Amino acid sequence: MSPSGLTALTRLESPGRQPGGQPGQRPGRSARWRPPGGGRMWAAAWVLVLVWSVGSWLAEDGPLVNTRGWPMFVDFFAAALTPDLSADFLARIAEATLTTLSFAVLGTLLAVAVGLVVGVLISETWWTDGSPSRGQAVVHRATRPKARRAGWLVTRLGLALPRGIHEAVWALLLLSVLGRDPLVGVLAIAIPFGAITAKVYAEIIDESARGPFEALRASGVRRGTALLYAVAPVALPDLASYAFYRFECAVRSAVILGMVGAGGLGFELVLSFSGSRHGEVWTLIFTMVVLGAVVDRWGSGLRRAGGRWRTGGTVLITAALAIAALVHLGPDLSRVFTARTAGLFAGLVDDLLPPALPDGGWSRLLEDSLETLQMSLVAGSIAGVAAVGVAFVAARSGGAGVGPARRLAGTAARWLLLFTRSLPPPVWALLALFLFLPGPLPGALALAAYNFGILGRLCAEVVENLDRRSHDHLIAAGSPPLSAFAYGIVPQAGGRFLSYGLYRWEVAMRETVVVGVVGAGGLGRLLEDQRVAFDYGGMSGTILSLVVLSAVVDLISTAVRRSLR
């Protein structure tokens, strides 16, 4: 990936927190407070909580290992050699693949449209007061009226709820209003992804050079016009790069939505798994891996040549995909605005409010919340350590001295990462439940496998873009390879690896919902029990708990980054 594309991803993976400071903070400002011990304190806390989490699971009464599942596990992987290639099933797969892609394409386009509009409206650049002169720009920002500051905070906080709820939960809620309508898959992706995209786009806008913007504002140009001519040309490459990254995420999310009833590849997976038709399952898995490889290669090709986008071809392909998706899904927007839909929506809101405690009260909610936090922490830790170890092998080396063995190992590592991230977390959870009894451990392992694939790819791209001159100089000076690696490579890559790992921890927190749905523990399991019992008040209370947990993880991640700068 080019530096431009990597920068755009980094603004998500370390949401707006560049080395210069917090979102909207200009480079050069230092954190106001740093905890004593810095990294050592956080590392000690991480190890203690990790040991406590795993230890508490191992100390529970009853067995953890599902001894009856081992033969089924072996049979399942043996079926990989004999996938179902019958004409009827392949036709169903083609139809399901088109449905999944249609959800991803239309959901991403809608999310990007929302992100562009809302991202501008929640950016600090938009809320900057007045039209300061060149010499008074800093003073104006420091003395911004309280009303504008309050407006910025309100618009920013307004995205916390849609961003904090997983797209699978949105799908479940939308299914109760729209039924099995294709709009469910599109909107379930567009709502949370639109909020996430808006947040990232706002940070990209705020981190763009403000000099031209302020110069135009000082000359009396309107705010929107100044943004269009001064900020948009600078931010466009990163905005476009991040949009395609969202599309890659949307393809994986569309599979998950199918597993909760929206249709597509995920729906076919559930049918094949429930019928123990392992040959069909492997056909679906191979389809998802190939689909992931095509999307990944397309994205890599678009980000080559120093970050220059092949704009014409990209626009044409995107337009063709959007038209094909509309034709295939045939969404009827008029259904959204009918009296029946309005009545169902009002009824859903009435059922969801006010939030209620689950059976068992606060003790059950706190216990499951703690289990969810443990699952995300263990999953993020396993995925992070494994990803860093594989990243240096998976990174593409352009040097002429790379031997065949090194190339073969790199290709194998990249395919391993592609395989693990192509399968959604519920699939990994179902596989883990062959080996372990339902609980937090199989859920954590499933999330670890999935996030390992994503983290490994991102970390490999970091390695590919490293400046190796320091490392090469140390080698030329006679330093041992290990010392050259420790002093020439680790300082450059360590901070980016940590940012990626912390963000994936935040994402893993949201994804505990989808592994809990298949019985892997935590708040996700509680949410599924409440859905089956039509306990909508309890569902809203559980969802609210997930949003609060996500906010807590976000605050911890911010504190860790701040203390290590």
Side-chain angles (χ1 to χ4, degrees):
M1 176 182 289
S2 69
S4 173
L6 185 60
T7 299
L9 288 182
T10 305
R11 287 185 172 110
L12 169 69
E13 309 301 342
S14 52
R17 296 166 179 92
Q18 301 300 314
Q22 300 305 305
Q25 181 177 333
R26 309 316 304 163
R29 295 185 186 179
S30 60
R32 293 183 178 179
W33 176 78
R34 299 186 184 197
R40 290 189 297 274
M41 185 194 74
W42 287 114
W46 168 64
V47 171
L48 287 174
V49 175
L50 189 63
V51 171
W52 166 66
S53 299
V54 177
S56 64
W57 298 343
L58 297 178
E60 290 181 354
D61 295 334
L64 289 175
V65 177
N66 181 16
T67 54
R68 294 183 178 181
W70 284 90
M72 292 185 291
F73 185 78
V74 174
D75 291 342
F76 174 79
F77 276 95
L81 301 175
T82 57
D84 188 343
L85 300 178
S86 62
D88 291 341
F89 188 66
L90 290 179
R92 281 170 50 195
I93 294 299
E95 176 79 9
T97 301
L98 188 54
T99 299
T100 296
L101 273 176
S102 298
F103 288 155
V105 170
L106 296 181
T108 302
L109 288 175
L110 189 55
V112 170
V114 171
L116 285 172
V117 175
V118 179
V120 169
L121 296 179
I122 67 171
S123 65
E124 283 194 296
T125 302
W126 176 262
W127 289 96
T128 299
D129 181 50
S131 52
S133 64
R134 188 171 301 178
Q136 295 176 328
V138 177
V139 176
H140 256 76
R141 284 199 297 271
T143 59
R144 183 177 299 135
K146 292 183 179 179
R148 286 193 172 276
R149 187 68 178 177
W152 173 75
L153 287 173
V154 169
T155 55
R156 194 85 169 186
L157 292 174
L159 295 179
L161 185 63
R163 193 176 74 244
I165 300 176
H166 194 277
E167 48 269 23
V169 178
W170 282 112
L172 292 173
L173 297 176
L174 290 167
L175 281 168
S176 64
V177 175
L178 299 175
R180 287 288 302 278
D181 190 278
L183 286 173
V184 169
V186 176
L187 294 177
I189 291 174
I191 293 172
F193 279 29
I196 295 171
T197 303
K199 180 177 182 290
V200 175
Y201 277 8
E203 291 163 356
I204 292 175
I205 291 170
D206 288 337
E207 290 166 7
S208 301
R210 284 194 181 180
F213 172 79
E214 291 169 349
L216 288 178
R217 292 288 291 137
S219 63
V221 177
R222 291 180 178 274
R223 201 182 310 273
T225 305
L227 277 170
L228 182 62
Y229 286 97
V231 177
V234 177
L236 185 59
D238 284 348
L239 297 177
S241 182
Y242 182 76
F244 195 87
Y245 175 72
R246 270 295 116 195
F247 173 62
E248 296 178 30
C249 297
V251 172
R252 294 189 288 265
S253 294
V255 177
I256 296 175
L257 297 181
M259 299 186 75
V260 298
L265 288 172
F267 185 70
E268 295 293 338
L269 260 177
V270 170
L271 291 179
S272 298
F273 254 118
S274 61
S276 297
R277 298 187 291 272
H278 295 160
E280 293 183 0
V281 172
W282 276 104
T283 303
L284 288 159
I285 288 175
F286 291 144
T287 301
M288 288 187 292
V289 171
V290 171
L291 182 61
V294 171
V295 173
D296 184 66
R297 180 55 62 92
W298 183 24
S300 299
L302 291 174
R303 289 187 286 259
R304 285 175 189 161
R308 297 174 185 171
W309 285 73
R310 301 170 185 177
T311 308
T314 303
V315 171
L316 288 176
I317 293 174
T318 302
L321 287 175
I323 294 172
L326 288 170
V327 172
H328 175 70
L329 294 180
D332 184 5
L333 294 178
S334 62
R335 285 196 56 191
V336 178
F337 304 102
T338 62
R340 179 177 181 276
T341 301
L344 290 172
F345 178 75
L348 176 64
V349 173
D350 187 59
D351 290 338
L352 290 172
L353 297 177
L357 291 172
D359 293 338
W362 282 106
S363 60
R364 170 74 185 278
L365 186 63
L366 293 174
E367 180 182 350
D368 286 346
S369 297
L370 181 60
E371 190 171 83
T372 297
L373 185 63
Q374 290 176 317
M375 287 169 60
S376 66
L377 182 67
V378 172
S381 301
I382 296 173
V385 172
V388 171
V390 172
F392 290 95
V393 179
R396 288 182 170 87
S397 301
V402 178
R406 173 67 178 83
R407 293 183 184 276
L408 180 62
T411 300
R414 287 190 291 273
W415 275 101
L416 173 64
L417 295 175
L418 175 64
F419 179 82
T420 52
R421 70 175 180 267
S422 295
L423 271 63
V427 175
W428 285 114
L430 290 171
L431 295 179
L433 288 171
F434 279 139
L435 306 178
F436 301 96
L437 294 173
L441 181 59
L445 294 176
L447 291 173
Y450 175 69
N451 284 281
F452 160 71
I454 297 176
L455 268 176
R457 177 203 171 192
L458 294 171
C459 291
E461 291 171 344
V462 171
V463 175
E464 291 170 2
N465 287 279
L466 289 176
D467 184 351
R468 295 183 174 271
R469 287 177 294 182
S470 298
H471 173 268
D472 295 341
H473 289 329
L474 289 171
I475 292 291
S479 297
L482 184 60
S483 298
F485 176 81
Y487 290 99
I489 299 296
V490 172
Q492 293 187 65
R496 193 64 57 81
F497 287 172
L498 179 64
S499 293
Y500 285 153
L502 288 172
Y503 176 70
R504 290 312 303 181
W505 177 32
E506 299 170 30
V507 175
M509 174 64 68
R510 296 173 64 246
E511 290 171 341
T512 54
V513 172
V514 294
V515 297
V517 166
V518 295
L523 289 173
R525 177 63 181 270
L526 174 61
L527 189 66
E528 176 63 10
D529 292 342
Q530 292 168 333
R531 187 189 69 84
V532 172
F534 299 100
D535 181 10
Y536 288 104
M539 285 180 64
S540 62
T542 303
I543 292 170
L544 186 60
S545 300
L546 282 165
V547 172
V548 171
L549 275 180
S550 298
V552 169
V553 170
D554 182 61
L555 291 174
I556 294 173
S557 299
T558 302
V560 172
R561 295 187 187 100
R562 182 182 299 171
S563 67
L564 296 178
R565 290 195 188 108

